[in-house]
Amino acid sequence: MPMADMFACAACGAALTVPVSRVAVPAHARQRYGHGLLPGLMEAGTYAVETEPYGPPWRRWDEVGAEEAAAQGVFAPVPALSYGPSGSIVLAPGDTRDTVVIPDRTDGLCCGTDGRDGPNLACEGCGEPVATLVDDCGHWQAVRFVPHAVHRLPGGARAARLAWEDLAEQWPATPPVEQQGYWSPQWEAAVGAALAHVLAASAGVPVAVPDGLLTDTFGRALRRLLPSGPQERRLGLSGPGLPLPDPAPDIALVPRHPQTGEVWQPPAGDLVAVPLYAEVWLHLAFARERSLLPVTGGMPAGELRDDPLPPRPWELFRPDRQVFADTLVRLPAVRLPWLREIYDRFRDRGYTAPF
């Protein structure tokens, strides 16, 4: 991917990053996962710009109130709201240069820093705080530059925008199950975010989900969250290169562009489009289980080898509860009585199945 931009200290002009190309914010950018050390949030050579506030200061919901929270884009009660800066620039830690740790801002849980003290990296040249390093256990490792502390230096040729029709051929899909048999945390985050949109689009009636991986990932949660009844809406997939099934779904999972974050728009009609991160959508739309081993003598058309077997999960899928809640409270529809009742019930019992 061609490199595009660098970021420099706003105070002294020192370059603080290598050249990087902009991509969409990952689904798991705010995810907490497990208790071990996690890899980097961003791929090397890329950066993303988070639009939501990040970090301290924090204010409690009962201090802020519903009206002020709505102005912040939060439409249902949460424990606290961030009043940190919006527009953080997120990179892989290895893509930063000439920054030093601020010693008295390194608190965390046990294995590293979690950003609770605000910016903990300073420009080596002038000493100004410029970024927050997060590398504690359970956090995806990342550096978030404070937007007003740096400025962008346009670099060489920008990465060409991937055309929708080339998405399946040129962008990698993320498998749903890891080799050890764990569900991918990226899938848990992406499904958690999309689930909130599907719930809002359901209008409070049951949603029928096709058999297969969609049922494994969305079906159980929708059955638990929505009432049962004869009337129902159909969930399906739609997107570039994918023929629309007959009958067409009422709610369609469509890809979010992996570089720009733009949501693919289906043809005109009554179909409600729900954004799903491209890496997950691509697997749902196009992946077929195939052996990567050579087959001596060839195999009959349509037959698949059974060695080695593809990874299989050893537990039921659970959408990421925090990503689900963070997405749902930012949808204005959560103020509707039927959806607010579901949110309040979830908030009180969020650790029960399917979460």
Side-chain angles (χ1 to χ4, degrees), residues 6-173:
M6 295 176 65
F7 291 90
C9 177
C12 70
L16 300 178
T17 74
V18 300
V20 284
S21 289
R22 184 170 178 175
V23 296
V25 178
H28 53 294
R30 302 289 182 99
Q31 183 187 39
R32 292 285 305 279
Y33 185 78
H35 301 286
L37 292 176
L38 297 177
L41 170 67
M42 305 298 299
E43 294 288 338
T46 68
Y47 76 95
V49 179
E50 289 197 286
T51 57
E52 297 172 8
Y54 178 80
W58 294 85
R59 295 176 62 189
R60 295 183 59 83
W61 175 267
D62 53 9
E63 174 190 355
V64 173
E67 185 174 346
E68 185 175 340
Q72 290 277 86
V74 177
F75 303 101
V78 294
L81 281 78
S82 169
Y83 275 73
S86 303
S88 300
I89 298 122
V90 191
L91 301 92
D95 284 339
T96 63
R97 296 292 184 269
D98 297 330
T99 60
V100 293
V101 173
I102 302 174
D104 59 350
R105 297 187 182 180
T106 56
D107 280 349
L109 292 175
C110 60
C111 299
T113 61
D114 61 10
R116 68 180 65 185
D117 300 315
N120 54 25
L121 295 179
C123 171
E124 187 176 33
C126 66
E128 284 294 314
V130 292
T132 302
L133 168 67
V134 175
D135 61 359
D136 204 354
C137 52
H139 296 264
W140 297 94
Q141 297 186 30
V143 168
R144 287 175 166 85
F145 278 100
V146 180
H148 64 260
V150 295
H151 64 266
R152 183 173 62 86
L153 302 174
R158 288 184 174 276
R161 183 190 182 281
L162 186 64
W164 283 117
E165 55 268 23
D166 296 329
L167 191 64
E169 294 294 331
Q170 298 188 26
W171 201 266

Side-chain angles (χ1 to χ4, degrees), residues 234-280:
R234 296 182 302 276
L235 180 69
L237 294 172
S238 184
L242 195 66
L244 198 64
D246 187 17
D250 304 293
I251 305 168
L253 299 166
V254 302
R256 186 187 295 274
H257 198 282
Q259 293 170 310
T260 67
E262 174 190 359
V263 178
W264 184 83
Q265 295 302 312
D270 296 331
L271 185 150
V272 179
V274 167
L276 181 64
Y277 284 83
E279 295 82 358
V280 172

Side-chain angles (χ1 to χ4, degrees), residues 156-279:
R158 288 184 174 276
R161 183 190 182 281
L162 186 64
W164 283 117
E165 55 268 23
D166 296 329
L167 191 64
E169 294 294 331
Q170 298 188 26
W171 201 266
T174 298
V177 183
E178 298 180 335
Q179 287 296 326
Q180 301 90 336
Y182 295 102
W183 286 102
S184 161
Q186 291 93 330
W187 271 68
E188 293 178 358
V191 171
L195 178 63
H197 288 274
V198 173
L199 195 62
S202 73
V205 303
V207 174
V209 183
D211 291 337
L213 194 50
L214 275 180
T215 289
D216 294 339
T217 52
F218 285 89
R220 190 166 64 108
L222 289 171
R223 288 194 300 272
R224 292 294 185 113
L225 294 170
L226 291 170
S228 58
Q231 292 183 330
E232 62 183 17
R233 296 189 171 188
R234 296 182 302 276
L235 180 69
L237 294 172
S238 184
L242 195 66
L244 198 64
D246 187 17
D250 304 293
I251 305 168
L253 299 166
V254 302
R256 186 187 295 274
H257 198 282
Q259 293 170 310
T260 67
E262 174 190 359
V263 178
W264 184 83
Q265 295 302 312
D270 296 331
L271 185 150
V272 179
V274 167
L276 181 64
Y277 284 83
E279 295 82 358

